[in-house]
């Protein structure tokens, strides 16, 4: 999915996402630099740094997860991206690039939200962070495990029962196997969002409880 520098009026979603990340990183650098100049140090400064690093790291992790997941789902159902996501690509390589572009942007925001929740759980009400950046990132394993359990269930549930009703309505005229795979992939994407939300809540509570005990 090539991008010409002259086409700045409509950049790919991944480029927009990278601009968001770069903006947050620049603001974090400026704020931390200003804090050091004011003589801020110790636990308060470490907590502030953990928040910025945690939010950025979780955002990047979410974006990379989105890319990886969409590379798997585009293999399961190229038609899902061509028809439902309206990615214009004449070759599978172009379709994969479009799916990666979409996945990067779609995973960024949930990752940033998870980062805010987890770093807040690690720092609120404390003079020093309860865990380091490694502890925050490990908590992302909770929504990931939930997704790995939920994704195949949702795929087969959607594909077998067609709980969204697409096979009976909006996708009339397509081959049954194509429709089942398209709807199944939709189930995988739903599992990702549901697992991300539920897993982040669970990880935040778990981390907050763990931090409060120390």
């Amino acid at each position: 999915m090539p991008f010409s520098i002259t086409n700045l009026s409509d950049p790919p979603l991944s480029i927009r996402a990278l601009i968001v990340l770069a903006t947050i990183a620049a603001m974090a650098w400026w704020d931390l630099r200003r804090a050091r100049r004011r003589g801020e140090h110790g636990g308060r400064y470490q907590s502030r740094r953990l928040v910025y690093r945690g939010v950025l790291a979780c955002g990047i992790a979410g974006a990379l997860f989105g890319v990886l997941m969409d590379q798997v789902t585009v293999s399961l159902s190229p038609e899902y991206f061509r028809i439902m996501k309206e990615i214009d690509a004449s070759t599978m390589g172009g379709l994969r690039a479009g799916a990666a572009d979409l996945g990067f942007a779609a995973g960024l925001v949930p990752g940033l939200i998870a980062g805010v929740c987890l770093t807040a759980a690690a720092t609120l009400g404390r003079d020093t962070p309860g865990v380091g950046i490694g502890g925050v990132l490990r908590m992302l394993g909770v929504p990931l495990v939930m997704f790995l359990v939920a994704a195949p269930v949702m795929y087969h549930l959607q594909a077998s029962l067609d709980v969204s009703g697409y096979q009976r309505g909006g996708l009339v005229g397509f081959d049954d196997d194509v429709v089942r795979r398209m709807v199944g992939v939709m189930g995988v994407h739903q599992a990702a969002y549901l697992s991300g939300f539920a897993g982040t809540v669970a990880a935040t509570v778990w981390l907050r409880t763990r931090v409060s005990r120390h």
Side-chain angles (χ1 to χ4, degrees):
M1 197 172 185
F3 171 62
S4 173
I5 193 66
T6 59
N7 189 22
L8 295 177
S9 61
D10 187 25
L13 292 174
S14 55
I15 297 297
R16 302 178 201 180
L18 286 171
I19 291 173
V20 171
L21 280 174
T23 302
I24 296 174
M27 292 175 63
W29 174 82
W30 177 79
D31 187 49
L32 289 173
R33 185 167 179 265
R34 189 179 63 167
R36 290 297 295 269
R37 284 182 172 179
R38 291 199 307 262
E40 190 172 312
H41 61 278
R44 184 178 177 185
Y45 179 80
Q46 294 302 322
S47 292
R48 186 191 294 252
R49 190 169 68 168
L50 173 64
V51 168
Y52 287 131
R53 292 176 64 194
V55 170
L56 285 168
C58 288
I60 293 170
L64 294 179
F65 170 79
V67 171
L68 179 60
M69 184 185 73
D70 278 4
Q71 292 307 297
V72 173
T73 53
V74 76
S75 297
L76 292 173
S77 176
E79 299 84 1
Y80 173 84
F81 291 89
R82 289 196 181 102
I83 298 169
M84 292 187 173
K85 296 302 180 181
E86 298 181 343
I87 294 178
D88 184 14
S90 58
T91 66
M92 189 62 178
L95 191 63
R96 284 192 178 279
D101 177 51
L102 181 65
F104 189 92
L108 174 66
V109 173
L112 291 173
I113 293 173
V116 170
C117 294
L118 294 174
T119 56
T123 58
L124 285 179
R126 293 183 59 89
D127 295 330
T128 58
V131 298
I133 185 67
V136 169
L137 290 176
R138 280 195 294 272
M139 290 297 101
L140 292 178
V142 178
L144 177 60
V145 169
M146 286 188 176
F147 169 74
L148 293 176
V149 173
V153 174
M154 288 292 289
Y155 180 89
H156 291 292
L157 182 65
Q158 289 274 63
S160 300
L161 302 180
D162 189 22
V163 294
S164 296
Y166 279 95
Q167 193 168 355
R168 296 187 297 273
L171 295 177
V172 173
F174 291 94
D175 180 80
D176 285 350
D177 183 60
V178 170
V179 173
R180 280 193 293 269
R181 286 187 285 108
M182 288 171 66
V183 176
V185 164
M186 181 183 294
V188 173
H189 286 221
Q190 291 171 348
Y193 286 111
L194 291 173
S195 300
F197 173 76
T200 297
V201 172
T204 300
V205 173
W206 183 8
L207 181 58
R208 187 62 184 170
T209 302
R210 174 182 165 188
V211 166
S212 297
R213 290 174 179 170
H214 296 84

